[in-house]
Amino acid sequence: MTAGTWVAPQWTPLRTASFSSRVAVPTPPPVPTDELRQAIWAQMEQEERRGQGRRQRLQQHAAPLPQAPVAQPQQPQTAANSAATVVGCVIVLGFFVLVLVSILGAIFSG
């Protein structure tokens, strides 16, 4: 939908014997005059010139952007890291087994 095709609805009351309701009556879009068109074009040209001046000033005063830090290469995983990972997993699994055994013990003991 564009501004040239949009029709603003106007609400007008419709009265009948038993009730009243509101009906949308389409109205044609306003027809712009030549003076209005010239004023709009003049404003658009002024804003375009103002935007170009701002861009030029920003380019003159812009500081260079800082460079992103270079990523360090990943260290290969050592045997100590592997052993620590295995020990951590065993501890977590042992905790879950203890919780499961205590829950099952509570269910079947009584």
Side-chain angles (χ1 to χ4, degrees), residues 4-30:
T5 61
W6 184 72
V7 177
Q10 277 189 338
W11 295 100
T12 58
L14 176 67
R15 300 194 188 276
T16 61
S18 61
F19 63 93
S20 69
S21 63
R22 295 168 64 147
V23 178
V25 178
T27 58

Side-chain angles (χ1 to χ4, degrees), residues 52-69:
Q52 288 174 352
R54 285 184 185 145
R55 271 182 262 141
Q56 290 173 353
R57 284 193 305 271
L58 286 174
Q59 289 173 354
Q60 290 172 353
H61 297 295
L65 296 175
Q67 296 295 324

Side-chain angles (χ1 to χ4, degrees), residues 85-97:
T85 303
V86 171
V87 170
C89 289
V90 169
I91 290 173
V92 170
L93 288 174
F95 174 75
F96 283 124
V97 168

Side-chain angles (χ1 to χ4, degrees), residues 33-51:
T33 63
D34 288 335
E35 292 175 350
L36 182 61
R37 286 189 181 124
Q38 289 175 357
I40 291 172
W41 279 106
Q43 184 66 29
M44 289 171 56
E45 288 175 355
Q46 182 181 8
E47 289 178 7
E48 186 176 330
R49 276 187 258 123
R50 193 179 304 152

